[in-house]
Amino acid sequence: MNKIVNDFSIIIGTKNGSGSSTANNTILRSIFKMGIPVSGKNLFPSNIQGLPTWYTIRANKNGFIARSDHNDIVIALNPDSFTKDLASVRAGGAFFYADDIKQPITRVDVAIYPMPIKAIIRNDPNVPSDFRDLVGNMVYVGILAHMINMDVEKINAALTFHFKGKQKPIDMNMNAIKAGAEWAKTNLEKKDPFYLEAMNKTDGLIMADGNTAAAIGSIFGGVQFAAWYPITPASSLAESLVDYLPILRKQEDGKKNYAVIQAEDELAALGMTIGAGWSGLRAMTSTSGPGLSLMTEFAGLAYYAETPVVIWDVQRIGPSTGLPTRTSQGDLSFTYHIGHGDSHSVILLPGDITECFDFGWQSFDIAERVQTPIFVLSDLDMGMNQWMSKPFEYPETPMDRGKVLWEKDLDELKGNWGRYLDKDGDGIPYRTIPGNKHPASAYFTRGTGHDEYAKYTEDSSVYIKNMERLKEKHYNAKQFVPAPVFHSMKGATIGILAFGSTEAAILEAQHQLANEHGIKSDFMRVRAIPFTDEVEKFLAKYDQIFVVEMNRDGQIDIILKGEYPQYSMKLKSVAYHDGLPAAATWVREGILAKYVKAKSKDESGKMKAEVKKSAGKKKVAPKASAKKTLTKAKASSKAKAKRK
Amino acid sequence: MTEALPMAGAAANVNLAGLSKNDYRGAPSTLCQGCGHNSISNQIIAALYEMNVVPEDVLKFSGIGCSSKSPAYFLNRTFGFNSLHGRMPSIATGALFGNHKMKGISVSGDGDSASIGMGQFKHIMRRNVNMVYIIENNGVYGLTKGQFSATAEKGLELKKQGSNPYMPVDICMEALISNATFIARSFAGNPKQVKELLKAAIAHDGIAILDIISPCVTFNDQATAYHSYAWGKEHEMPLHEVSYVPPRNEIMLDRDLEAGELREVAMHDGSTVMLKNIEKHYDPTNRFEAMRAMEEAGRNNWLVTGLLYVDTTKQNLTTQYNLVDTPLNRLTQADLRPDRSAIDKVNALMF
């Protein structure tokens, strides 16, 4: 049998609440410490205890560590998902299972390894009986470690980190691992091809989750106020602030220069944040989709009152009684127009752990510079899973506190200033901050009903002027937001446009498209809205641009078509959403399904005809209202894809 | 003060802060003539003037409604935030962290605080935010005439709405069970008491709830106009014009309430309220006593007025957070951004 080294996936099927996360993290961290590129993703249900849950690990020597949808090694510990887990092993794969599960083994095309976990742990006198189930998880780590050559030293390092150096739990867990490994050595014969071998590809990297990175980044951004309400998958962001603020902003006298408040709901969370932002603090909140819905009215107010705040949305699937523990990129359209009336949001789109950190501090600079709510859209996959990452880097630019007038500034201006006066012609006015002692500093804050001096008015021309300025301000924000990241191939003929956590899957799909289908691509990962100038250049450059995203309707595709109608016919939506972290397969297949080979005359003629056909369809579309022009364009491109 | 301020009136009329009463005024009120809210605004101006509070040292907050418009009509030199319906408490909670030395003065209504904003109203009390929280309550006796407010009494008849089937919310009772540290009730037509309670509330370190019964002078609801026999009958014709707002005189007490006095006061629509001043020997630091007084008043359909409860032993919210002495909004990068060495420390904390 040919060995397969450092290129396989492991999936562990267990019960929620059984305490397997330490075991699974130990496997992930051990592989990482062996220098092998690796990812680990927790696929968990909305439940505290009992429902099936899976943890998937992908080790890949070439660095392709998006979630794999092939299961090379399956470890089955849950009788409820046993049949499904057994069926999911790839032919030629390996199936480890707890031998107290007495269910038929129907596969002959996979290596089968029963594991007497309970018997092994019962034989260890050092494990108290009520710890047996918990520590028992380590037995499968030991068995797996022996079978795939996982380095015991690295396992020890992982446990030492996990238990913060406390020797007693480290020893107890390590002994269970060793017992498992010993048992496997004596009793199992290797029948599968999967092995680990040490590499040096993770040198200098760290492992962290995006929520922790975002919190620490925010602290380096000088966060002073955070209000939040618990919601999966965002809670750990605020909890990380609570963990790291005392470490990073420690004062000798024990006094604090920050405050974190758990609010009574998301409405209050954003309300407090806006109050603090208005009052001159670097203020943030963190939530997920349903929480953002509750924040809508306040988000609209902050937009019109021009209050700087940072709002993190760690995206997941919709309502709480849906798939709330599953990842998503489904909040983009909603966030873009959140509020009431005409509004455009400034949105940052981190794609990895480093960017969660960087956007943590940059978002405050942008918020205070532009005086508007900044939305940072992360997702559950990035927010809650451990990712390999470059180490965090110290902010390279000083804090930008924006256009603020203090007492001496007002003295110089002799008190002549207007809160909403566009003095610099960039749509961004000057603001004063409560506590300013100058008698001309104060103003009364409202929504849209104000003139340039913050006085109440319902005058139409004043309203129009204000609204036009807000629009101009939004587009001016593009000079402050992060530019896209490019992954280009020489001789690229198509463009791929995406955002957020899909990068690893797209890089792998790019590779597959080039090697297996001869399609070379240029991949641009957008990192902010409003779109920077690079986006338009990219759209102009390629005849076909595949817009890849994890939602049903192709949300960024719709926004792009609205912003750049001249290129809308070139944009092909590859939107797919099943609640799981992105995998290369659907990206590749989605692109292939809509790819039009447009080189020869014949084919370009065919393409034109196709375009004509879909344009024709657009005309006969029944009851299409003017409002729906954008979605219509999209629907016709979808219809086209279906016909293919 | 960095520049000379324009003084209106006699230069001699200044307080210990060197300010005239004009320095405490706001824009002209756009509320109806005779509205109790205007009277309250005037007492806020008077109380702050008499207490020598510098306008720049306080913050104004409000939600949405007639009452919530009123912060525009006092303290022009004070930062103010007219926020969202029922959401003023959260704005104030966050804003007061900007400078923990500042005090909040907020105005809300019975709809804003007892209906849509009940959640935030309760939570700001349990947090003991350092703020005077005035509820200009005009819904108790159906004086809004349009819809029942949450403070409307059970069985109140309104032609369009029928009979109110629900029990009313008692703002002061809600405050007491939410552990508010200062609870008082007054009547807008009793300006002397309003001002004295305002002064006590401003002096209180923590949340101060002031439930002020503030009659609405305007009936513009054609259907319900027939109910207003005392005043309405004389003006029957104008009341059929729905956009017509008749000028009224504000209802004022003709003499102060004595301690323990019970007095019936007629409202614009002919209904009455029974004001009951607290007894001379009443101990406002006794929570049991406060609850007993409110329960007794409730059973008798009285509105008990005065300082009902005060607890000066609890820390306000920002004090609980043990903040640095410099106001947070005066801190700079040197205070807020960890130094370069911290990044290595953080990376070392990751796996």
Side-chain angles (χ1 to χ4, degrees):
Chain A
M1 194 188 321
N2 283 335
K3 271 187 169 184
I4 298 176
V5 178
N6 295 349
D7 183 10
F8 56 90
S9 64
I10 305 167
I11 190 159
I12 301 134
T14 179
K15 267 191 186 176
N16 214 26
S18 63
S20 59
S21 74
T22 311
N24 299 335
N25 263 319
T26 301
I27 299 171
L28 175 75
R29 287 176 173 145
S30 302
I31 298 172
F32 173 74
K33 270 283 183 273
M34 288 178 75
I36 306 159
V38 66
S39 68
K41 298 184 191 295
N42 193 9
L43 315 176
F44 61 107
S46 174
N47 167 256
I48 301 293
Q49 195 178 43
L51 287 184
T53 180
W54 290 270
Y55 191 78
T56 158
I57 291 171
R58 169 111 184 256
N60 184 283
K61 58 182 182 251
N62 299 315
F64 295 130
I65 52 167
R67 183 183 63 83
S68 164
D69 39 20
H70 309 295
N71 298 334
D72 297 313
I73 297 175
V74 173
I75 300 175
L77 304 165
N78 181 1
D80 297 340
S81 62
F82 187 86
T83 312
K84 192 179 166 190
D85 290 341
L86 179 59
S88 77
V89 194
R90 180 185 210 175
F95 184 71
F96 296 78
Y97 70 101
D99 71 354
D100 55 308
I101 304 173
K102 308 291 181 198
Q103 291 187 29
I105 306 285
T106 48
R107 299 279 299 267
V108 292
D109 56 342
V110 296
I112 305 287
Y113 304 113
M115 304 183 291
I117 295 174
K118 287 201 167 150
I120 292 170
I121 204 69
R122 227 179 287 128
N123 290 337
D124 186 339
N126 293 320
V127 177
S129 57
D130 50 346
F131 275 80
R132 276 182 193 152
D133 282 350
L134 192 63
V135 180
N137 289 317
M138 289 298 165
V139 174
Y140 72 73
V141 178
I143 295 172
L144 179 73
H146 173 76
M147 298 301 282
I148 63 173
N149 280 353
M150 205 188 294
D151 188 335
V152 178
E153 283 289 301
K154 310 298 182 196
I155 296 174
N156 197 44
L159 287 176
T160 305
F161 176 82
H162 185 85
F163 292 108
K164 299 186 168 78
K166 281 180 218 131
Q167 208 53 49
K168 205 176 163 188
I170 296 170
D171 289 346
M172 195 193 288
N173 285 283
M174 204 61 212
N175 288 339
I177 289 170
K178 282 176 182 161
E182 276 304 313
W183 178 87
K185 194 175 171 184
T186 321
N187 296 286
L188 293 183
E189 184 197 337
K190 177 88 174 170
K191 291 178 286 186
D192 67 75
F194 307 112
Y195 291 93
L196 294 174
E197 275 176 20
M199 300 177 81
N200 59 2
K201 285 204 171 176
T202 65
D203 288 1
L205 301 183
I206 59 168
M207 283 210 113
D209 64 78
N211 284 349
T212 302
I216 297 173
S218 304
I219 297 170
F220 278 87
V223 64
Q224 293 172 283
F225 185 88
W228 66 291
Y229 185 76
I231 185 170
T232 302
S235 299
S236 62
L237 202 166
E239 285 164 348
S240 297
L241 285 174
V242 173
D243 286 346
Y244 289 95
L245 272 165
I247 301 172
L248 291 168
R249 291 260 284 276
K250 196 174 178 164
Q251 299 239 135
E252 279 182 10
D253 57 5
K255 296 207 170 207
K256 297 184 175 68
N257 54 23
Y258 58 84
V260 181
I261 295 191
Q262 185 183 320
E264 59 267 34
D265 54 31
E266 286 91 346
L267 287 80
L270 184 54
M272 290 178 193
T273 305
I274 292 170
W278 174 79
S279 205
L281 303 187
R282 295 205 137 185
M284 67 183 287
T285 184
S286 45
T287 189
S288 191
L292 199 62
S293 315
L294 289 175
M295 292 177 179
T296 305
E297 191 183 14
F298 259 134
L301 177 67
Y303 174 82
Y304 291 115
E306 301 180 61
T307 312
V309 286
V310 173
I311 301 165
W312 279 80
D313 172 14
V314 187
Q315 296 169 97
R316 65 172 222 202
I317 292 183
S320 307
T321 49
L323 282 72
T325 57
R326 308 297 177 166
T327 198
S328 169
Q329 293 184 327
D331 291 346
L332 190 71
S333 302
F334 172 56
T335 308
Y336 188 49
H337 291 299
I338 196 169
H340 15 261
D342 298 300
S343 64
H344 289 121
S345 304
V346 176
I347 302 173
L348 306 187
L349 300 162
D352 59 31
I353 304 308
T354 313
E355 288 175 3
C356 286
F357 176 86
D358 290 342
F359 294 1
W361 63 266
Q362 288 168 9
S363 55
F364 287 119
D365 289 345
I366 302 165
E368 292 193 324
R369 171 53 52 187
V370 187
Q371 294 180 26
T372 201
I374 303 297
F375 296 85
V376 192
L377 263 57
S378 166
D379 65 25
L380 183 145
D381 181 18
M382 243 185 301
M384 290 184 74
N385 288 317
Q386 292 281 318
W387 286 37
M388 300 194 313
S389 171
K390 283 184 290 178
F392 305 135
E393 280 179 30
Y394 197 74
E396 74 271 17
T397 52
M399 280 186 191
D400 179 359
R401 304 305 304 260
K403 299 182 186 180
V404 176
L405 301 172
W406 284 107
E407 288 86 345
K408 66 172 177 52
D409 307 308
L410 291 173
D411 272 345
E412 281 164 25
L413 292 165
K414 298 192 168 39
N416 292 321
W417 75 286
R419 170 64 184 98
Y420 299 109
L421 188 66
D422 185 9
K423 217 171 172 184
D424 303 331
D426 57 0
I428 305 170
Y430 285 79
R431 66 181 183 129
T432 52
I433 284 168
N436 188 324
K437 301 286 186 196
H438 195 286
S441 65
Y443 67 98
F444 196 66
T445 305
R446 304 177 176 89
T448 46
H450 57 71
D451 66 11
E452 290 170 331
Y453 295 87
K455 297 280 180 265
Y456 190 73
T457 180
E458 294 180 29
D459 184 284
S460 301
S461 60
V462 174
Y463 171 75
I464 291 168
K465 195 176 168 195
N466 188 46
M467 291 298 284
E468 290 302 319
R469 179 180 59 77
L470 284 171
K471 189 172 181 179
E472 186 196 336
K473 184 177 90 161
H474 172 79
Y475 287 104
N476 271 338
K478 69 183 182 182
Q479 61 188 301
F480 307 113
V481 300
V485 168
F486 291 91
H487 299 281
S488 309
M489 286 179 162
K490 251 192 185 161
T493 56
I494 62 163
I496 301 174
L497 188 155
F499 66 94
S501 69
T502 52
E503 184 175 59
I506 295 171
L507 290 174
E508 190 176 354
Q510 249 190 315
H511 179 81
Q512 293 168 350
L513 286 169
N515 290 0
E516 295 160 26
H517 303 274
I519 304 168
K520 288 184 177 162
S521 57
D522 189 356
F523 167 27
M524 175 177 71
R525 182 164 59 80
V526 170
R527 299 197 295 170
I529 299 178
F531 300 118
T532 56
D533 296 342
E534 292 90 343
V535 175
E536 186 169 2
K537 278 185 204 147
F538 186 82
L539 297 187
K541 196 170 172 184
Y542 296 99
D543 291 336
Q544 301 180 69
I545 295 120
F546 297 87
V547 184
V548 178
E549 53 194 311
M550 288 195 298
N551 51 53
R552 187 191 64 186
D553 293 344
Q555 300 185 5
I556 202 167
D557 179 63
I558 293 170
I559 295 170
L560 284 162
K561 282 170 176 158
E563 292 292 314
Y564 307 106
Q566 67 274 36
Y567 302 124
S568 61
M569 294 308 289
K570 305 206 270 182
L571 297 177
K572 301 181 175 199
S573 174
V574 180
Y576 180 77
H577 190 215
D578 58 3
L580 301 174
T585 322
W586 69 255
V587 176
R588 184 192 65 224
E589 294 305 316
I591 290 172
L592 287 172
K594 295 192 177 179
Y595 176 71
V596 179
K597 208 174 163 192
K599 280 288 163 199
S600 68
K601 267 186 184 171
D602 266 16
E603 275 160 331
S604 77
K606 189 177 144 202
M607 194 183 170
K608 272 180 195 157
E610 190 113 27
V611 168
K612 230 177 175 177
K613 237 157 97 190
S614 84
K617 183 163 176 114
K618 200 162 95 185
K619 270 176 209 154
V620 297
K623 287 181 192 168
S625 68
K627 239 177 12 189
K628 296 224 168 130
T629 324
L630 293 181
T631 36
K632 244 166 57 186
K634 190 175 142 35
S636 68
S637 85
K638 270 209 163 158
K640 193 171 98 187
K642 264 187 193 158
R643 286 201 302 276
K644 284 176 78 79
Chain B
M1 233 33 45
T2 46
E3 67 182 49
L5 296 164
M7 299 284 186
N13 291 335
V14 294
N15 60 11
L16 292 178
L19 300 173
S20 78
K21 221 168 185 179
N22 262 355
D23 295 318
Y24 295 83
R25 295 195 200 282
S29 173
T30 59
L31 298 174
C32 306
Q33 187 190 322
C35 175
H37 299 358
N38 289 331
S39 170
I40 297 167
S41 296
N42 287 336
Q43 296 318 313
I44 294 171
I45 291 167
L48 289 163
Y49 170 77
E50 288 171 23
M51 291 177 82
N52 308 303
V53 174
V54 176
E56 283 79 21
D57 289 345
V58 291
L59 291 174
K60 301 181 290 188
F61 303 101
S62 61
I64 296 295
C66 288
S67 53
S68 292
K69 279 172 170 275
S70 69
Y73 315 136
F74 57 84
L75 294 176
N76 253 350
R77 282 173 44 177
T78 295
F79 278 84
F81 203 138
N82 188 180
S83 63
L84 295 181
H85 199 21
R87 316 290 174 227
M88 174 274 285
S90 61
I91 288 283
T93 301
L96 287 164
F97 273 93
N99 182 337
H100 63 282
K101 293 169 182 170
M102 297 180 87
K103 186 163 195 90
I105 295 179
S106 63
V107 183
S108 179
D110 41 322
D112 201 50
S113 283
S115 288
I116 189 170
M118 184 60 117
Q120 298 211 346
F121 174 57
K122 304 281 277 187
H123 284 274
I124 197 171
M125 291 189 279
R126 59 183 275 263
R127 295 194 176 100
N128 201 25
V129 171
N130 187 17
M131 183 172 89
V132 179
Y133 190 138
I134 300 160
I135 295 105
E136 297 180 340
N137 190 347
N138 60 9
V140 183
Y141 293 91
L143 289 163
T144 53
K145 288 295 172 192
Q147 299 81 26
F148 294 119
S149 131
T151 54
E153 66 186 2
K154 183 177 162 83
L156 179 71
E157 296 278 346
L158 287 179
K159 192 159 186 179
K160 245 186 184 169
Q161 317 278 331
S163 173
N164 178 24
Y166 312 125
M167 292 298 288
V169 169
D170 181 329
I171 295 216
C172 291
M173 191 66 109
E174 294 296 338
L176 192 70
I177 60 173
S178 304
N179 292 299
T181 52
F182 180 110
I183 304 162
R185 182 182 281 132
S186 190
F187 176 62
N190 189 359
K192 200 171 159 189
Q193 188 189 41
V194 169
K195 188 169 78 179
E196 291 315 310
L197 288 173
L198 270 168
K199 283 181 170 179
I202 291 162
H204 178 69
D205 184 20
I207 191 85
I209 303 297
L210 265 173
D211 178 20
I212 306 180
I213 310 304
S214 176
C216 171
V217 298
T218 302
F219 318 164
N220 55 8
D221 187 334
Q222 169 177 324
T224 58
Y226 298 110
H227 281 276
S228 56
Y229 57 89
W231 192 91
K233 279 289 177 193
E234 290 174 48
H235 300 269
E236 202 170 304
M237 284 310 289
L239 289 179
H240 287 272
E241 171 61 54
V242 291
S243 63
Y244 176 68
V245 180
R248 300 289 186 75
N249 292 322
E250 191 180 343
I251 298 165
M252 304 297 276
L253 297 186
D254 48 6
R255 58 177 175 82
D256 294 345
L257 284 175
E258 303 292 329
E261 186 187 341
L262 184 67
R263 195 185 307 168
E264 189 171 7
V265 180
M267 299 286 105
H268 294 111
D269 67 347
S271 63
T272 56
V273 283
M274 292 294 283
L275 296 182
K276 171 81 163 73
N277 220 3
I278 52 172
E279 304 287 343
K280 207 169 186 175
H281 53 79
Y282 180 84
D283 174 11
T285 65
N286 185 330
R287 207 157 175 264
F288 268 127
E289 185 58 20
M291 203 165 279
R292 192 201 59 75
M294 280 189 238
E295 183 63 28
E296 182 191 51
R299 289 181 190 192
N300 290 300
N301 257 338
W302 304 336
L303 281 165
V304 61
T305 64
L307 176 58
L308 297 169
Y309 180 69
V310 65
D311 175 359
T312 56
T313 65
K314 302 267 190 334
Q315 287 187 329
N316 77 36
L317 181 67
T318 48
T319 308
Q320 290 169 49
Y321 271 75
N322 190 27
L323 301 175
V324 293
D325 296 336
T326 310
L328 293 190
N329 66 16
R330 298 275 180 171
L331 299 177
T332 63
Q333 175 166 331
D335 308 298
L336 300 175
R337 176 166 285 170
D339 61 31
R340 228 161 240 288
S341 66
I343 202 79
D344 297 329
K345 190 173 162 186
V346 156
N347 282 318
L349 288 171
M350 303 297 117
F351 185 69

